[in-house]
Amino acid sequence: MDTAAGPIKIGFLGGGMMAQVGHLPYYLRDRRCDVIRVCESRPSLVEALEQKLGSKRVIRDHNALFSDNEIQAIVISAPRPATGPLTLAALTAGKHVLAEKPMAHSVEQAQKLVDAAASRQLIYAVGFMKRYDPGILAAKALFDETVADLRLGQLLLARFYDFSNSYVVTPPAHVRPRESRTERFPTWPTYPSWLPEQYRDAFAWFLNVASHDVNLLRFFFPDGVEVVSAHCGGDTSVVATMRKGNTPIVLEVTKAAVGRWVEGIDFLFEHGQIRVAIPSPMATEQVSEVSLDDERRQIVDERVEVERGWSFARQATGFIDVLAGSSKPMTSGKDGLADMVLTEEIWRRVTD
């Protein structure tokens, strides 16, 4: 995108907690863009946004956001069933898009979005902000080097897990709505058409909770992952086993209230391991912690030095970088589509 004419004109669809906390502040601070419209229909949030941004920048009709020729890109933070159709409408209107996850609820839906962006040569990114976490990036670099030079021997097992039930930490200050939505967005089904009815609620829960973990799994293993088996225990517990070549990969997701955020990645090698402890998304001062065991060098629990910076803030900067033409999307719609393919493969195994 040519930025010589001035700041990139940004619109926001949704003014709830995630928009207030994880998105809007960072676009307002970046001089390369100008937030010219925020769309929200709930009166208490409209009032709060008008106090912060001025009444001229706050609108209530999302269709007016799409038809505004001044707006070049839209950040979408909406109810999950509505994210897909709203993203499609924004892309059809010729807007670049960053939409919160999950991008959609089936491969078929996700493909529509990717095709819409590609046919119009638009930038389409999905809000998998954990790829922007400095600890995740440091772990990825270390993992790639370790696999390539066999410094710890062969990779024996990779494990991705997420056992958290709530944010645990208090989110940054924000205004909560005092009423339900007065505007009803268009929605798509929250499950693929082939999924048996008894699994649909569990699938929607899994896609919301585990989409980050599936995305991280594919960040470390971008291709060649085969689903071997999967089991769903009740509506809030899934274990899937996969393999990349001869290496087993395990994904464990459940909803457990243990008083702390429990999410991470373990890579077990012949002579050591890499561990990644992922913080709560609302822990603004924390990044993922990476530690190393190396039996050959007699190293146990060595902390890997990482940069600082909240993943949401870095994601906003990253999207503006892409709009400005200085980088490529780290979490593109095309990559999110590949996540959906893997997710459906897991659930086909669940229903076998």
Side-chain angles (χ1 to χ4, degrees):
M1 184 183 297
D2 183 9
T3 57
I8 302 161
K9 301 297 190 293
I10 303 285
F12 267 74
L13 204 171
M17 186 192 81
M18 291 310 304
Q20 293 179 52
V21 168
H23 297 288
L24 187 55
Y26 307 103
Y27 291 87
L28 290 171
R29 295 175 193 173
D30 198 311
R31 294 182 179 180
R32 295 173 298 168
C33 67
D34 182 8
V35 178
I36 63 171
R37 299 285 183 273
V38 177
C39 180
E40 176 56 62
S41 64
R42 288 167 286 185
S44 56
L45 295 186
V46 169
E47 179 183 357
L49 289 166
E50 287 182 340
Q51 289 177 358
K52 182 179 182 63
L53 304 173
S55 59
K56 291 184 178 180
R57 286 206 275 185
V58 182
I59 63 174
R60 293 165 175 79
D61 180 7
H62 67 276
N63 292 303
L65 197 68
F66 301 146
S67 62
D68 190 328
N69 292 329
E70 192 177 6
I71 293 174
Q72 298 166 286
I74 296 178
V75 177
I76 298 176
S77 179
R80 289 187 293 275
T83 298
L86 290 172
T87 299
L88 182 60
L91 293 169
T92 302
K95 314 300 184 185
H96 304 288
V97 172
L98 168 67
E100 264 294 348
K101 62 83 189 171
M103 65 186 290
H105 288 80
S106 71
V107 171
E108 180 182 6
Q109 294 173 8
Q111 187 71 63
K112 289 181 182 179
L113 304 178
V114 172
D115 290 346
S119 66
R120 295 166 178 80
Q121 297 184 313
L122 293 168
I123 297 162
Y124 171 36
V126 184
F128 290 116
M129 83 294 175
K130 294 185 183 184
R131 286 199 183 190
Y132 289 90
D133 182 318
I136 295 294
L137 294 173
K140 178 67 161 66
L142 178 60
F143 173 75
D144 288 347
E145 293 169 2
T146 304
V147 170
D149 64 15
L150 297 175
R151 68 182 68 174
L152 296 178
Q154 296 289 336
L155 177 64
L156 302 178
L157 174 69
R159 176 181 179 236
F160 296 76
Y161 60 92
D162 187 344
F163 304 147
S164 300
N165 183 40
S166 66
Y167 288 134
V168 182
V169 301
T170 302
H174 62 283
V175 177
R176 297 190 179 199
R178 296 192 297 268
E179 63 285 296
S180 299
R181 293 181 182 274
T182 57
E183 179 184 33
R184 294 301 172 187
F185 298 120
T187 62
W188 284 347
T190 56
Y191 48 83
S193 59
W194 57 264
L195 189 70
E197 185 174 357
Q198 67 264 33
Y199 293 107
R200 290 175 180 176
D201 288 344
F203 177 87
W205 162 80
F206 177 87
L207 193 58
N208 178 44
V209 173
S211 57
H212 279 299
D213 303 290
V214 171
N215 184 260
L216 289 179
L217 190 157
R218 288 197 54 265
F219 188 44
F220 286 89
F221 300 96
D223 52 49
V225 173
E226 177 188 355
V227 181
V228 178
S229 66
H231 175 70
C232 177
D235 287 341
T236 55
S237 183
V238 173
V239 176
T241 59
M242 291 152 275
R243 64 185 173 204
K244 170 68 181 291
N246 292 323
T247 302
I249 304 170
V250 181
L251 173 65
E252 303 167 323
V253 184
T254 194
K255 185 177 181 179
V258 298
R260 62 189 179 95
W261 186 268
V262 185
E263 182 183 15
I265 310 169
D266 294 332
F267 299 109
L268 283 300
F269 296 84
E270 291 179 289
H271 300 287
Q273 66 177 316
I274 298 170
R275 294 185 301 278
V276 186
I278 301 172
S280 167
M282 292 295 109
T284 60
E285 301 300 321
Q286 296 182 33
V287 300
S288 292
E289 296 181 353
V290 185
S291 57
L292 173 69
D293 295 339
D294 186 337
E295 183 261 347
R296 288 169 169 168
R297 293 190 293 152
Q298 297 183 328
I299 291 173
V300 176
D301 201 27
E302 178 182 72
R303 292 296 176 91
V304 176
E305 186 175 348
V306 302
E307 297 178 5
R308 312 306 296 175
W310 193 31
S311 56
F312 273 106
R314 291 167 62 98
Q315 174 181 248
T317 299
F319 185 53
I320 299 168
D321 287 344
V322 175
L323 293 173
S326 59
S327 68
K328 295 182 179 180
M330 190 181 296
T331 57
S332 69
K334 186 176 180 180
D335 200 64
L337 172 60
D339 292 351
M340 285 301 312
V341 170
L342 181 58
T343 297
E344 285 204 21
E345 289 176 357
I346 289 171
W347 280 85
R348 287 189 187 278
R349 291 295 186 180
V350 167
T351 61
D352 281 351

